[in-house]
Amino acid sequence: SQPVAAGVLSPLAGQVFFDHICDATSDCAGESTGVLQRSGLAPESTILASRSEVKRGDWDIFEESLFQRSNVGSIAYKLALVSGGLASGTVSLAPKNMWDIAAGIILIKAAGGTVVDLNGEPIGFENHRLKINGLIAGNTNITSDLLSALDECRSADEPVQD
C-alpha cells in the first residue's frame, strides 16, 4: 500500500499544507493546491537550503549565480513550501530519514513535482529505504537542472588526475 495524503504544519509561520494523491482507482474530488511552475533553474529561482548544511559549508560547492538561496530549518517544511509554489525547489546534501520526508514527498507528488535522491533515483515508498543519501525536489525541470548543477559542481571540485 502507498500513502495517499499528507500534511505539514508550521505553527510559527501559521501555515498548514495538506494534499492528497488521486489515481485511477481512487474516488477523489477536488484539485491539488500546489502550484509548481514548469520553468527550469534560473538566477531568480529560489532554492531552499538547510541552515546546518550551509553553516557546515556543504553549499559552498554551488556558484552563487545559479539561483537564489534561502536557508530554512525543517526538511518537511522546505518540501511543503516547494509543494505550495512558495519556492522553486529544495536540495538536502545530508542523509535524511524517511519519516522526516514522507509527508513532504506526498505533497510534492500531489503538486505534480518530483523528488529524487542525490543519485537521481526517485524516492518512493516501495523500496522500504529508511534513510536516503539526500534529496532534490521541485518540478521535473528544476529537479533535473539541480541534479545537473550538483554533478557539475562535484566534478569541478574533484582533483584532476594525470
Side-chain angles (χ1 to χ4, degrees), residues 102-119:
I105 290 172
I106 297 299
L107 293 174
I108 294 282
K109 287 182 176 182
T114 58
V115 184
V116 298
D117 67 16
L118 297 183
N119 297 323

Side-chain angles (χ1 to χ4, degrees), residues 91-153:
V91 176
S92 180
L93 300 169
K96 296 292 173 211
N97 293 311
M98 202 59 170
W99 53 84
D100 290 327
I101 61 173
I105 290 172
I106 297 299
L107 293 174
I108 294 282
K109 287 182 176 182
T114 58
V115 184
V116 298
D117 67 16
L118 297 183
N119 297 323
E121 296 296 321
I123 301 173
F125 302 99
E126 51 282 334
N127 57 11
H128 305 291
R129 289 192 290 180
L130 295 180
K131 192 166 229 167
I132 58 157
N133 63 355
L135 65 82
I136 300 172
N139 71 43
T140 304
N141 295 333
I142 288 283
T143 302
S144 177
D145 289 353
L146 285 169
L147 190 58
S148 294
L150 180 60
D151 288 344
E152 287 176 28
C153 292

Side-chain angles (χ1 to χ4, degrees), residues 13-137:
Q15 293 173 306
V16 177
F17 300 85
F18 180 80
D19 215 331
H20 61 282
I21 297 175
C22 294
D23 61 24
T25 63
S26 301
D27 183 21
C28 297
E31 294 183 22
S32 171
T33 57
V35 179
L36 291 177
Q37 301 297 323
R38 295 291 160 218
S39 60
L41 191 61
E44 63 274 5
S45 301
T46 300
I47 304 301
L48 304 178
S50 164
R51 289 180 187 138
S52 57
E53 290 176 17
V54 170
K55 187 175 182 180
R56 277 194 311 267
D58 296 351
W59 279 71
D60 293 351
I61 62 172
F62 289 111
E63 292 182 36
E64 290 187 32
S65 63
L66 291 175
F67 50 79
Q68 301 288 319
R69 186 186 77 214
S70 180
N71 303 339
V72 178
S74 161
I75 185 63
Y77 185 50
K78 286 189 281 271
L79 290 166
L81 289 169
V82 172
S83 76
L86 301 173
S88 303
T90 187
V91 176
S92 180
L93 300 169
K96 296 292 173 211
N97 293 311
M98 202 59 170
W99 53 84
D100 290 327
I101 61 173
I105 290 172
I106 297 299
L107 293 174
I108 294 282
K109 287 182 176 182
T114 58
V115 184
V116 298
D117 67 16
L118 297 183
N119 297 323
E121 296 296 321
I123 301 173
F125 302 99
E126 51 282 334
N127 57 11
H128 305 291
R129 289 192 290 180
L130 295 180
K131 192 166 229 167
I132 58 157
N133 63 355
L135 65 82
I136 300 172

